[in-house]
Structures are given as C-alpha cells and as structure tokens.
Amino acid sequence: VKMKKYEIMFIVRTTLAEEEIKKVVENFKAVLTDNGAKIVDSIEMGQRELAYEIKKCKSGYYYVVTAEASDDLAISEFDRLARISKDVLRHLITKIED
C-alpha cells in the first residue's frame, strides 16, 4: 500500500490557556493517529500575527504536522473536525507529491 504524505497547517486561537492549546493540538494529532495516519513530523511555529482578524482574534498559534496515510480517512476526519472546532481558526491540508 502506497502511503500518501500530507502537510497540515493549523492555527489555534490565542485566547486559550497554554495547557488548553496543548490539549487542542494533542487532540487533533490523535484524530490523525486514531484514524490510521502516522505523524512523521510536528513543528510548533509559535504565536504569530494574523494578516486579518479571524473570529475576533488578531494572532494565533501556528502548527505544522506532516502525516502519512494509506487512505483519506484520517485527513477527512481532521478536516471535518477542524472546520467545526471553535479553537482552530484556520487549517490547510496539502498533499505532498513524491
């Protein structure tokens, strides 16, 4: 089975406490692993100013996760949950071509 590689960038709202932010990140990583994806890399890019205000936030905590999956299940589930999460301001999923 050929594994597909994805880069997932997501921005967590800064109005949360540090512990809550960690929990949000861990929960979203768990969404990937629980659905069969393997996390190969995870980069915490820290707090950055947003180009424009999103959901009343002027800045956000940026994270980039690289994951491998044999199907789209984990990625679809991440996408679905990130869309409805009040803690994730934006997310972007990019398929990495080998």
Side-chain angles (χ1 to χ4, degrees):
V1 180
K2 180 151 172 30
M3 298 292 264
K4 294 179 194 158
K5 234 182 186 173
Y6 299 91
E7 186 178 80
I8 303 163
M9 195 273 293
F10 61 106
I11 308 170
V12 181
R13 65 166 60 245
T14 53
T15 51
L16 299 171
E18 200 175 325
E19 282 307 303
E20 291 175 300
I21 290 170
K22 282 195 179 106
K23 210 166 129 192
V24 169
V25 173
E26 288 313 309
N27 287 347
F28 273 98
K29 283 184 184 174
V31 167
L32 293 168
T33 52
D34 292 351
N35 287 286
K38 188 178 129 217
I39 293 173
V40 278
D41 196 15
S42 175
I43 306 163
E44 191 177 323
M45 295 173 73
Q47 187 172 345
R48 298 186 176 196
E49 286 289 309
L50 300 171
Y52 50 90
E53 206 172 281
I54 305 170
K55 296 181 189 173
K56 298 192 175 79
C57 291
K58 287 180 164 53
S59 65
Y61 284 102
Y62 282 66
Y63 291 87
V64 178
V65 174
T66 308
E68 287 181 342
S70 54
D71 56 35
D72 300 340
L73 186 71
I75 304 303
S76 301
E77 187 59 4
F78 184 101
D79 188 47
R80 186 183 76 80
L81 293 171
R83 273 179 209 279
I84 58 178
S85 169
K86 61 186 190 325
D87 299 324
V88 175
L89 301 176
R90 282 283 185 277
H91 70 287
L92 177 69
I93 300 169
T94 314
K95 195 171 156 188
I96 303 168
E97 298 296 337
D98 289 332

